[in-house]
Every structure is written in C-alpha cells, then in structure tokens.
Amino acid sequence: MTSAVTSTFLQACMGQVPVRRPVWLMRQAGRILPPYRQLRAQTGSILKLFKTPDLAAQVTLMPINMLEVDAAILFADILTPIEPMGCQIDFVPGPVFAKPVRSRADIDALRTIDPQAQLPYVLETIRLVRQALPPHIPLIGFAGAPFTLATYMVEGGGAKEFTHFRRLLHADRGAADALLDKLTEVTITYLKAQIAAGVQAVQLFDTWIGALSAPLFEQLALPNLQRIFLALEGSGVPRIYYANGATHFLDLLPKTGADVLSLDWRSDLGQAFQRFGRHLPLQGNMDPCALFADPPAIIAEAERILTQTQGLPHIFNLGHGVHPDTPCDNVKLLVDTIHSFAP
Amino acid sequence: MTSAVTSTFLQACMGQVPVRRPVWLMRQAGRILPPYRQLRAQTGSILKLFKTPDLAAQVTLMPINMLEVDAAILFADILTPIEPMGCQIDFVPGPVFAKPVRSRADIDALRTIDPQAQLPYVLETIRLVRQALPPHIPLIGFAGAPFTLATYMVEGGGAKEFTHFRRLLHADRGAADALLDKLTEVTITYLKAQIAAGVQAVQLFDTWIGALSAPLFEQLALPNLQRIFLALEGSGVPRIYYANGATHFLDLLPKTGADVLSLDWRSDLGQAFQRFGRHLPLQGNMDPCALFADPPAIIAEAERILTQTQGLPHIFNLGHGVHPDTPCDNVKLLVDTIHSFAP
C-alpha cells in the first residue's frame, strides 16, 4: 500500500496525526455537484449510473478535483447488494421495494450473493477509480450495516419513522435474527470483494441504529458488527463504523472492533476522544444543515470542531450525508477551511 | 382539585408512589380502538372529528372504558393551534401545509392566537370530557413544543428526516428565534386556555428535539421551554415534558422546569431516576413496537420497566405514540399487567 504512506486520510485511520487534517464527506459524490446533475440528466436513470462502471467511476472521481477532498468513496447505493439477494428495488428517487421482506418465509427466500457474478459493475468501478486516482488519494468502499439494511427491507423503502423491523424483532425474534445473520454474511462477502478489487478502506453505514435501546443494540446488533469487522481484520484496510444517533450506547461502539468510529453531530468529539482514548481515531461530525449558513458561520463551526480535535487522529466529515441541495461553494469553503487549519 | 386526592396519575405527578401504578398511553385515543375507526369512517374527515366537541369528547373518553387507563388525553392534533396562526393544513392523513413557513416574511406574517375565539371547539371538548369523567380520572391537555412545531411548519409536513428548520437556524438564526418565540407565546396562551377550560395536567410534546446537539438545545430550545413551564407555574396543574431521542442532553431536561419528564425507550428509567433523584417523577418508556410481541413477551417487557421503577414516582407510558395498527388486545394486556403489579 504505497498510498498508506502519503494519504492523510489513511494516516489518521491508523491513529497518526497527519500534517494536514483529512476530510471527505458522506454523499460527496452526487447531487451537490453540477456536473453530476448534468450526467444524471443525460443518463436518465440513477440505476444506469450505478451499473455503468465508466459513469460510476466518473461520479466517484468528481469530488476529488472539484472539492479537493482527501478520499474518494465508491458511488453506489447501500441497497446495491440487496437486489441480488432477491429483492426488486426501484429508485423514485428513494428506494421502494416491490415487496417488503416481512415474514420468515420472505427471509428464508433471500439468497446470499456472488459479487463477481452478480455485482461485476461495482468491482469494475473500483478498478477504474483506482487506476485514475493519484497515490495519495485512497478509495473508500462501503456497505450498509445489517440493522440498517434490515430496516429498509422490512419497511419496504424510506419512511418517516422506521418501525416495521423493530416490530418484527419483538414479534418474531428468530426471524429478525435470521435476517440479520443473512445480511451479515452478504455484507462480509460484499466488502471482501470490494477490498479484493482495490478499495483501501471500508465504511459500514448504520444510519438507523439509534432506534435501538442500548440492551437491544448489545444483544441484537453488536455480535453481527463484531463478526463483520473480525472477518475483515486480516484485510489490511481500515474499517470505519458510522453510527447515527447512537449517543445512548456510545460506550459500546468501540466493542464493534472498528478501527475508526464515525459519529453524528449529537456527539461531542472532544468528549468522545476523552472517553475512548486517543488510540481510537474518530471521524465526523458537523451537522450537514450547518452548510446552509453564511461563510463566516461555516468557518466558525468547522473551526469549533477542528479545535476540539486538534492534535488527535481525526478525520473531518459531516455527521450525516451532505444534503443534495447544499450550495457547492459552501462545501468547497468547508474543505478549504479544514485544510488551512493547523492539524 | 378533588381528583388530586384520588387520581393515581396525579399522585405520581406530585412525587407520590400511588397504591397502583398509573398508566396512560400517548395516542391512546384514536386508531387502535375499533369504535374510533367506526366513528372516523362515519364522520368522513379527521378535521371534522377534531372540530366537533361532542365527537372529540367521545374519542377522548373511549380509552377510559375500553382500556381502563388512569388518565384521559384530549383528542386533538399538535398542529391544532397552528391553523389560526395563519397556516392552511390538510391531513392526508399526515399533515401537509399549503405553504411551508420558510422565510422571515412568512414568520413575521404568523399571528398569535385567541383560543376562545378561534379554538372554541377545543375548550368545549375539554368541558364535555370533564363532565363525563369520574373524579379519579383526570384529563390531560397538551401542546407541541416550539421546536417540534417549528420543525413541521418549516418542513411543510411530515418527512423522513426533518432538516429544513435546522437549516433555517443555521442560515438565519434571527428568523429561527423569531419563529420559536412566536410559538412559545402561542403555546402559553393555548395551554392556559386549556387549563382554564378544565384540563388537570398538561404535556408538552417535543417529538423531534433529539435532532439538536446538546449546545443547540441549551441555547435555542431550553429558554423557550423554561418560559412555557414558568408561565404555567401558578396554574396548579402538573406540567409534563416529553422529549424524544434526547439521551444526549438528558442532564439538561430537569432545567426545563417541568414537574414530570417523559422519556422514550432509548433511556434507562432506573438510571434516570438515579441521576435525577426520586423527587422528579418520570413517565414512560416502553417501545411501542414491543406491543407487537406475543403476550408473554409483552408481560415480560412491562415487568422489566415496572421493576426498574418500583417504589418510585413513575407513570407508565410508551416511549412514543402507540402505533395505529397495534392489536387492541395487546394494549389491554399491557394496562392489566401494569395494574396488577405491586407499586
């Protein structure tokens, strides 16, 4: 890994304090960028963008030049590996399942996946991106965490409040466990294939995990997260766990075995470093809504987080994905502010 | 207040440990009850149900007989006082604003309200319910908290993730403060009118407050909550504050000045009593999704919470509103389990 030496992002993942604070943004490759919107309009369907390696690679690379972020993240959807499990999903633009996964029979019918055969376009995208990236900019692969994937699958799409999976876990714990177990296997297979194809770090997205109480997180979700991170231990790439709204079981997060924890804006990063110790790198955590402020306020908010984490292994990111209609200039200002700050 | 002597709910609100654990459920008056569904179908429009005192009173009273809960809660919507402020709202069935409140001009155009003149049906419903209730069953009035109301108004209705108000507070803090200030005034006026009409306790619902970081909660939301609870201090009725997803600033909640805190299932009530002390009554906090379990699991989950809070001033409730399609028998089983437990 030549890039391990020169990438500030990878240095921070390994617990070092790089000469310049690394930054990338969740959902950086997409709607905030005008050329993406143009490409999206030309292409017609977002599924076609996901499934055409040349186009997906272009989108993945866009924020590197335009925003000058320190890592690229694969342009794909967290539901990408769910389709080959046997679910038909439309994007309108949010995901809608033709048939939600609700019963034990639905769960038993789900298949494991073969990424080489069923998701070749993802692996080809990774190879194309790696060829194009300079050595100091690594490519991050990713997957949805089992609980978050299960939440979408049982709900059947997006929702104001996701309750169907939580209902299932109370109504039929065996079925809920079976679903999480299958998703754990699929996630391991999928991330291993991404690593083999060339991603240099992986992030597991657990957007909806905060709906669980601490005891349920520990019983239901933690063992699967541990299995995933353990399975990737020998892969040589840093493993990042993004847990949204998880302040009520923050102390349990290091038990996942992730190398880096990515937190949302509800956490105080300075306090989190004190709690966990400086050997655990943290990523985050500006509120994406703060990017709608005026320039001085954006700079002030960025500097607040930069100051809290000064001299610590920190990767700057948002606390959640960047909102599609965020002014691109504000995002660039944020990146520039971070880069001009003393590490 | 004759009822203060005999109501187990009011006893617990005052810090006592009643002979039997009091219980009521958020959204107990509504879709879970078959006679409600019948009435709703006959009436056609939910707005007509809200605005016809005789019908709204019937709905308010239904769970008292059917579920044998220990308090009634006014059948109304948290957006009820928003319409007379100048917003046109449809229920389809979730609320949809004809025009979201987005700009400073929109906010300045909002009016304060005169409940006697503009919401007479709410006050008449309260009077009808009070006439019908036995002395040991009090009526709870309620309002949405300013942040949660603002979230709906700026978003323009329900959403998967509410971001528009959080954007506004970053983009134009003065406008956000002006909106919260106006909503604070309206909420005080509205709750005072409910108390004058006869409600014997009030609950302030802050469903979306958990989206704020602790510092923003303290700066932006807390002063308004303090104003509301202080304005109602001399009213002689207990003031309950329901904060959903607020585990990351739990320690700030007693500063609101509420007499009772109502918490969601992400908090551990036993730990919360230890943190706050037994002089602060707590309400909550079973996951509404747990009501989809089988009877032994429902009993076990209820008893877990009852045991945690034994000998303490606790009002049993859910951590969020009861889901509309919850089996009614399960809800009755929950209430019976609570009532048969040693206090």
Side-chain angles (χ1 to χ4, degrees):
Chain A
M1 285 205 300
T2 340
S3 55
V5 183
T6 54
S7 155
T8 55
F9 164 78
L10 289 176
Q11 286 166 359
C13 286
M14 293 184 294
Q16 299 166 21
V17 181
V19 290
R20 204 172 75 159
R21 194 75 60 100
V23 55
W24 69 277
L25 307 175
M26 293 187 274
R27 278 200 226 143
Q28 66 187 12
R31 274 199 279 171
I32 52 163
L33 303 173
Y36 169 82
R37 294 186 199 189
Q38 215 178 331
L39 188 63
R40 172 77 179 76
Q42 281 165 10
T43 313
S45 127
I46 192 160
L47 276 174
K48 193 172 171 197
L49 274 189
F50 287 141
K51 293 188 177 182
T52 311
D54 176 49
L55 299 179
Q58 271 185 56
V59 177
T60 304
L61 292 164
M62 279 176 190
I64 305 305
N65 296 320
M66 295 193 61
L67 302 173
E68 299 186 79
V69 288
D70 301 300
I73 181 158
L74 177 67
F75 179 70
D77 193 84
I78 65 164
L79 297 177
T80 295
I82 304 305
E83 209 179 359
M85 290 181 78
C87 295
Q88 196 195 312
I89 309 165
D90 278 331
F91 289 85
V92 291
V96 177
F97 284 67
K99 185 176 175 302
V101 176
R102 295 266 164 98
S103 68
R104 182 66 195 239
D106 292 343
I107 292 163
D108 289 341
L110 293 170
R111 298 182 293 267
T112 53
I113 65 165
D114 176 352
Q116 276 72 23
Q118 294 172 303
L119 301 168
Y121 56 90
V122 173
L123 309 180
E124 181 58 16
T125 301
I126 292 169
R127 286 185 283 265
L128 291 176
V129 171
R130 279 301 308 276
Q131 286 163 21
L133 279 175
H136 67 288
I137 305 288
L139 173 63
I140 305 169
F142 76 91
F147 178 82
T148 290
L149 293 175
T151 296
Y152 280 109
M153 293 166 81
V154 178
E155 197 77 29
K160 186 175 140 199
E161 294 176 75
F162 293 96
T163 62
H164 278 101
F165 183 65
R166 270 182 22 250
R167 294 181 194 195
L168 181 72
L169 75 89
H170 285 288
D172 187 347
R173 180 63 175 268
D177 277 330
L179 178 56
L180 292 175
D181 192 61
K182 224 166 227 191
L183 288 169
T184 300
E185 282 308 314
V186 165
T187 302
I188 290 170
T189 305
Y190 183 49
L191 287 176
K192 280 188 170 174
Q194 290 186 38
I195 294 167
V199 302
Q200 294 145 288
V202 289
Q203 177 158 321
L204 201 60
F205 283 80
D206 223 348
T207 311
W208 304 119
I209 194 68
L212 288 180
S213 67
L216 269 180
F217 171 77
E218 194 161 16
Q219 291 162 34
L220 192 86
L222 186 58
N224 292 316
L225 296 169
Q226 289 171 330
R227 254 172 75 199
I228 294 170
F229 289 122
L230 191 65
L232 304 177
E233 199 169 30
S235 67
V237 309
R239 301 155 295 172
I240 308 171
Y241 179 55
Y242 167 65
N244 186 34
T247 48
H248 51 302
F249 46 78
L250 207 62
D251 287 337
L252 295 172
L253 299 184
K255 292 193 182 182
T256 56
D259 300 301
V260 179
L261 293 177
S262 193
L263 303 176
D264 74 290
W265 66 92
R266 294 175 188 87
S267 294
D268 181 287
L269 283 189
Q271 286 174 16
F273 267 116
Q274 283 184 344
R275 250 159 121 164
F276 300 146
R278 57 168 298 141
H279 61 279
L280 181 58
L282 297 179
Q283 179 176 273
N285 72 342
M286 189 161 124
D287 186 345
C289 293
L291 283 169
F292 292 86
D294 58 14
I298 292 171
I299 293 170
E301 179 59 9
E303 291 185 344
R304 187 185 65 78
I305 295 168
L306 289 160
T307 304
Q308 274 187 330
T309 52
Q310 203 156 20
L312 293 161
H314 172 244
I315 300 151
F316 205 108
N317 206 317
L318 302 179
H320 203 335
V322 60
H323 293 299
D325 54 345
T326 306
C328 202
D329 288 349
N330 290 3
V331 179
K332 185 70 174 77
L333 172 69
L334 173 65
V335 173
D336 292 346
T337 302
I338 295 161
H339 281 159
S340 63
F341 193 84
Chain B
M1 286 206 298
T2 341
S3 55
V5 182
T6 54
S7 155
T8 54
F9 165 78
L10 289 176
Q11 286 167 359
C13 286
M14 293 184 294
Q16 299 166 21
V17 181
V19 289
R20 204 173 75 159
R21 194 75 61 100
V23 54
W24 69 277
L25 307 175
M26 293 188 273
R27 276 199 227 145
Q28 65 186 14
R31 275 200 277 172
I32 52 163
L33 304 173
Y36 169 81
R37 294 187 199 189
Q38 216 179 329
L39 187 64
R40 171 78 179 77
Q42 282 165 9
T43 313
S45 127
I46 192 160
L47 276 174
K48 193 172 171 197
L49 273 189
F50 287 141
K51 294 187 176 182
T52 311
D54 176 50
L55 300 178
Q58 272 185 56
V59 177
T60 304
L61 292 164
M62 279 176 190
I64 305 306
N65 296 320
M66 295 193 60
L67 302 173
E68 300 188 76
V69 288
D70 301 301
I73 181 159
L74 178 67
F75 180 70
D77 193 85
I78 65 164
L79 297 177
T80 296
I82 304 305
E83 208 180 0
M85 290 180 78
C87 296
Q88 195 194 313
I89 309 165
D90 277 332
F91 289 84
V92 291
V96 177
F97 283 68
K99 185 176 176 303
V101 176
R102 294 267 164 97
S103 68
R104 182 66 196 239
D106 292 343
I107 292 163
D108 289 341
L110 293 170
R111 297 182 294 267
T112 52
I113 65 165
D114 176 352
Q116 275 72 23
Q118 295 173 303
L119 301 168
Y121 56 89
V122 172
L123 309 180
E124 181 58 16
T125 301
I126 292 169
R127 286 185 283 263
L128 291 175
V129 171
R130 280 300 308 276
Q131 285 164 21
L133 280 175
H136 68 288
I137 305 288
L139 173 62
I140 304 168
F142 76 92
F147 179 82
T148 290
L149 292 175
T151 296
Y152 280 109
M153 292 166 82
V154 178
E155 197 76 29
K160 185 174 140 198
E161 293 175 75
F162 292 96
T163 62
H164 278 100
F165 182 64
R166 270 183 20 252
R167 294 180 193 195
L168 181 72
L169 75 88
H170 285 288
D172 188 346
R173 180 64 176 269
D177 277 331
L179 177 56
L180 291 174
D181 192 61
K182 225 166 225 189
L183 288 168
T184 300
E185 282 307 315
V186 164
T187 301
I188 291 169
T189 305
Y190 183 49
L191 287 175
K192 280 188 169 174
Q194 290 185 38
I195 294 167
V199 303
Q200 294 146 288
V202 290
Q203 176 157 321
L204 202 61
F205 283 80
D206 223 348
T207 311
W208 304 119
I209 193 69
L212 288 180
S213 67
L216 268 181
F217 171 77
E218 194 161 16
Q219 290 162 32
L220 192 87
L222 186 58
N224 291 317
L225 296 169
Q226 289 171 329
R227 254 173 76 200
I228 293 169
F229 289 122
L230 191 66
L232 304 177
E233 199 169 30
S235 66
V237 310
R239 301 154 296 172
I240 308 171
Y241 178 55
Y242 167 65
N244 186 34
T247 49
H248 51 302
F249 46 79
L250 207 61
D251 287 337
L252 295 173
L253 299 185
K255 292 192 182 181
T256 56
D259 300 300
V260 179
L261 293 177
S262 193
L263 303 176
D264 74 291
W265 65 92
R266 295 176 187 86
S267 294
D268 181 286
L269 282 191
Q271 285 173 17
F273 267 116
Q274 282 184 345
R275 250 160 121 163
F276 299 146
R278 58 169 298 142
H279 61 279
L280 181 58
L282 297 178
Q283 179 176 272
N285 73 342
M286 189 161 123
D287 186 345
C289 293
L291 283 169
F292 292 87
D294 57 14
I298 292 172
I299 292 170
E301 179 59 10
E303 289 185 344
R304 188 185 65 77
I305 294 168
L306 288 160
T307 305
Q308 276 187 329
T309 52
Q310 204 156 19
L312 293 162
H314 172 243
I315 299 151
F316 205 108
N317 207 316
L318 301 178
H320 203 335
V322 61
H323 293 300
D325 53 344
T326 306
C328 201
D329 288 349
N330 290 3
V331 179
K332 185 69 175 78
L333 171 70
L334 173 66
V335 174
D336 291 346
T337 302
I338 295 161
H339 280 159
S340 63
F341 193 84

